[in-house]
């Protein structure tokens, strides 16, 4: 890490103290969201904080290493998707402990990766805690953006859905249903496939 990046990280962490929201932090803790350090700053405010920094690979990597909720969210917002290596994306997901981080990363970063389709298909079949959620979330966004899966991708998608519908995490089961709904929106043929799946594979 360069001295300039280290100084940016220090300044950012000082800003967190001035913007802390104790009520939000307490509410999140009561709901079972447990970070080592959580200043309770909203995503809207964090997006505003990220703007002056633009896309900065080195700063994003440095912020992610800080075990602080706000640092990880800023890292997601600042990381340039086109520069994020496949291995680093896998590393970030496996290091993710909270559903909130997985969902924000999927929305603001992972869906924009150059290999988003390929990575999503790998993640959805993983037994890692949050990889299936990230994979399903990315697939949902791709479907909403006009992606029409080919035969192989469709087979992978439905295999992942069947597995996700039986996952212990309710968030992953919900993500599977959301992805199915977006797939059904592609057309009558796709809608029929979803109906057939749901009628023969009760979660």
């Amino acid at each position: 890490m360069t001295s300039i990046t280290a100084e940016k990280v220090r300044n950012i962490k000082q800003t967190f103290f001035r913007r802390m929201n104790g009520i939000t932090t307490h509410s999140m803790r009561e709901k079972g969201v447990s970070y080592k350090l959580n200043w309770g700053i909203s995503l809207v405010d964090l997006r505003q904080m990220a703007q002056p920094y633009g896309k900065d690979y080195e700063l994003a990597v440095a912020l992610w290493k800080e075990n602080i909720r706000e640092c990880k969210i800023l890292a997601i917002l600042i990381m340039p998707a086109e520069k994020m290596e496949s291995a680093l994306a896998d590393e970030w997901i496996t290091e993710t402990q909270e559903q909130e981080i997985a969902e924000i990363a999927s929305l603001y970063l992972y869906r924009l990766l150059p290999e988003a389709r390929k990575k999503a298909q790998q993640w959805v079949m993983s037994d890692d805690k949050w990889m299936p959620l990230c994979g399903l979330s990315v697939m949902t966004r791709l479907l909403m953006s006009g992606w029409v899966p080919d035969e192989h991708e469709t087979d992978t998608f439905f295999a992942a859905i069947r597995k996700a519908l039986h996952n212990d995490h309710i968030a992953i089961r919900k993500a599977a249903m959301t992805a199915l709904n977006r797939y059904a929106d592609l057309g009558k043929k796709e809608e029929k496939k979803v109906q057939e799946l749901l009628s023969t594979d009760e979660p």
Side-chain angles (χ1 to χ4, degrees), residues 1 20 23 27-28 42 50 52 88 93 96 119 128 151 157 176 186 192 202:
M1 185 195 312
M20 71 175 294
I23 295 175
S27 175
M28 293 174 73
S42 72
L88 183 61
I93 295 180
T96 294
K119 296 306 297 180
D128 181 82
E151 184 176 348
F157 176 75
L186 292 177
K192 184 179 179 181
E202 292 293 335

Side-chain angles (χ1 to χ4, degrees), residues 87-170:
L88 183 61
D90 290 341
E91 181 181 319
W92 280 25
I93 295 180
T94 56
E95 291 175 352
T96 294
Q97 298 299 315
E98 297 295 339
Q99 177 183 338
E100 178 191 28
I101 299 297
E103 291 178 338
I104 291 173
S106 298
L107 176 59
Y108 290 98
L109 179 59
Y110 299 149
R111 70 182 181 88
L112 302 174
L113 296 176
E115 295 185 329
R117 283 166 55 180
K118 179 180 178 181
K119 296 306 297 180
Q121 291 178 74
Q122 293 174 1
W123 294 337
V124 291
M125 298 305 293
S126 172
D127 291 322
D128 181 82
K129 185 174 182 180
W130 293 124
M131 274 192 178
L133 177 63
C134 291
L136 288 164
S137 297
V138 170
M139 282 185 166
T140 296
R141 291 290 168 176
L142 292 174
L143 287 165
M144 292 171 67
S145 299
W147 171 50
V148 179
D150 61 26
E151 184 176 348
H152 174 72
E153 291 170 333
T154 298
D155 289 343
T156 300
F157 176 75
F158 275 89
I161 292 295
R162 290 188 183 94
K163 185 175 181 179
L165 288 175
H166 294 274
N167 196 288
D168 291 336
H169 292 284
I170 188 172

Side-chain angles (χ1 to χ4, degrees), residues 38-62:
N38 176 7
W39 295 103
I41 302 172
S42 72
L43 178 58
V44 172
D45 286 342
L46 288 170
R47 290 180 65 186
Q48 292 176 344
M49 290 178 63
Q51 288 179 4
Y53 297 98
K55 297 297 182 180
D56 187 326
Y57 181 92
E58 184 178 359
L59 179 58
V61 170

